[in-house]
Amino acid sequence: MTTFLATEDVVALTRRLGIEQTLRQMEAYIKADFLRWEAFDKTARVASHSDIGVIELMPAADHELYAFKYVNGHPSNPQVGLPTVMAFGALAEVSTGKPLLLSELTLTTALRTAATSALAARVLARPQARVMALIGNGSQSEFQALAFHYLLGIDTIRLYDVDPGATAKLRLNLAQVPGLTLVACASAAEAAQGADIITTVTADKTNAIILDASMIEPGMHINAVGGDCPGKTELAADILLGATTFVEFEPQSRIEGEIQQMPADYTVQPLWEVLAGKRAGRSRTDEITVFDSVGFALEDYAALRFLHDQAQAHGLGVKLEVVPDLADPKNLFGEALGAASASAAPAGALAA
């Protein structure tokens, strides 16, 4: 039997642990798997693009577990009552192929993305960072704000969105978070002023310039998270030329990250090597660092592993017969349909 976690189960788990502990544990799982980077089969996600969105499959596996995520990105979805991003995924045994877990990943993706952002900033941002600009205040924004507040000690977040209603929504949702000050700004440039960290998390499928070089101050860390795909960028190329850029999986980032606009010889640094101590993250207090975050399947592997462990520990989810339970595994037809079923219905009976 396979465990199935619905959205309500992930909500129940998050409430049971608390959002802070959920983010902390998610970050720990992601870091542990990044430190095993070389143990994984890795591939850029398989994407089906249209003029209005993208649907992607994201697989990753080591010698024990295989995981995949199905995820979409459709910026116009809120106009028809759907989230911009929706996802589900599976975790299976490599030794048998048996599916262990099916789970919602829409809420989980927001949690794992925020935890990954904090994990990267922990080694790339200045340790004394306390002020963050959050540009793009849609569905992902609260998760980013809370991850940076709880995990890195950010106490002031300067907010901007082209839709003032999105900023108002964020302020309402996080109004009661102790020790967190939220400041609404009139422009991206105003939000960036005096920030230690800038997080961009916009969704439009365009080569937009959310940040230009005039907004960037020495020592800033830029967390470029926005929904990524070919033809979708948020940062002016001049920012990347003046920064040290870190990526999850370079072959994927070259296709759909900020670095897609850069020449092939533009040098990037693998985040996993920084986490493993194989290379430095930030080397100077005035260095500008960029985490070109596109989301990588290894993060979903870690998230699914976390959910599977928590489902077992807390008795969450329901059991589904995703694959047939056969006394004789070689007799699928006989056990599933019965020997008499081949002649049970007269020809044309179903059509009638």
Side-chain angles (χ1 to χ4, degrees):
M1 302 290 280
T2 302
T3 300
F4 170 67
L5 293 180
T7 301
E8 63 188 24
D9 296 307
V10 178
V11 169
L13 173 62
T14 304
R15 288 177 173 166
R16 184 175 301 182
L17 295 177
I19 186 74
E20 179 177 352
Q21 282 304 314
T22 301
L23 288 165
R24 287 192 184 280
Q25 292 194 39
M26 190 77 77
E27 181 192 18
Y29 271 71
I30 294 168
K31 181 178 180 180
D33 286 333
F34 264 94
L35 293 179
R36 300 191 302 114
W37 182 267
E38 294 174 300
F40 286 89
D41 291 332
K42 298 173 287 293
T43 183
R45 51 190 166 209
V46 180
S48 177
H49 293 280
S50 69
D51 292 339
I52 58 173
V54 61
I55 296 174
E56 299 171 323
L57 291 178
M58 301 173 63
D62 63 6
H63 68 285
E64 292 186 355
L65 296 171
Y66 172 93
F68 80 84
K69 180 170 77 173
Y70 166 103
V71 62
N72 78 298
H74 288 74
S76 62
N77 268 5
Q79 299 173 21
V80 294
L82 292 172
T84 297
V85 175
M86 298 177 285
F88 65 88
L91 188 70
E93 293 178 340
V94 166
S95 60
T96 64
K98 175 185 175 182
L100 302 174
L101 178 72
L102 293 176
S103 180
E104 85 80 40
L105 288 182
T106 305
L107 174 58
T108 303
T109 292
L111 290 163
R112 74 85 160 133
T113 302
T116 303
S117 292
L119 176 63
R122 194 181 293 280
V123 294
L124 300 180
R126 292 176 294 193
Q128 69 273 25
R130 292 295 177 267
V131 179
M132 181 169 81
L134 184 51
I135 301 171
N137 300 159
S139 296
Q140 300 282 320
S141 58
E142 288 90 348
F143 299 90
Q144 293 286 325
L146 290 174
F148 279 87
H149 176 58
Y150 287 134
L151 305 187
L152 294 180
I154 291 294
D155 57 29
T156 301
I157 301 182
R158 299 171 61 80
L159 309 172
Y160 174 71
D161 194 292
V162 293
D163 175 11
T167 301
K169 174 268 303 179
L170 187 154
R171 296 181 74 186
L172 179 64
N173 285 339
L174 302 187
Q176 303 305 314
V177 177
L180 181 61
T181 299
L182 303 172
V183 180
C185 299
S187 66
E190 180 184 341
Q193 288 176 7
D196 301 299
I197 298 170
I198 302 176
T199 290
T200 57
V201 60
T202 65
D204 288 342
K205 286 172 61 65
T206 58
N207 285 117
I209 296 180
I210 307 302
L211 292 180
D212 63 46
S214 69
M215 304 177 192
I216 308 306
E217 300 170 8
M220 279 182 168
H221 170 61
I222 301 168
N223 179 41
V225 180
D228 295 277
C229 64
K232 163 70 172 70
T233 57
E234 296 177 318
L235 308 186
D238 286 353
I239 295 176
L240 298 174
L241 290 173
T244 306
T245 300
F246 299 80
V247 299
E248 294 140 308
F249 184 56
E250 185 175 346
Q252 180 173 295
S253 299
R254 291 281 180 187
I255 296 171
E256 55 190 23
E258 296 298 323
I259 63 171
Q260 67 181 275
Q261 60 185 309
M262 306 306 289
D265 60 356
Y266 178 75
T267 301
V268 297
Q269 311 299 327
L271 178 63
W272 79 269
E273 291 189 0
V274 178
L275 296 172
K278 293 180 178 290
R279 68 173 67 230
R282 171 176 295 275
S283 58
R284 307 183 317 274
T285 58
D286 64 346
E287 183 178 13
I288 296 166
T289 55
V290 173
F291 177 40
D292 186 5
S293 171
V294 298
F296 183 53
L298 182 58
E299 296 150 27
D300 301 304
Y301 172 102
L304 285 162
R305 191 167 64 83
F306 167 75
L307 290 177
H308 184 248
D309 288 350
Q310 295 300 318
Q312 291 183 314
H314 296 284
L316 294 172
V318 297
K319 299 296 183 181
L320 297 180
E321 191 174 324
V322 175
V323 294
D325 184 10
L326 304 175
D328 178 4
K330 294 184 178 181
N331 189 18
L332 175 62
F333 180 86
E335 291 200 29
L337 298 176
S341 65
S343 58
L350 291 180

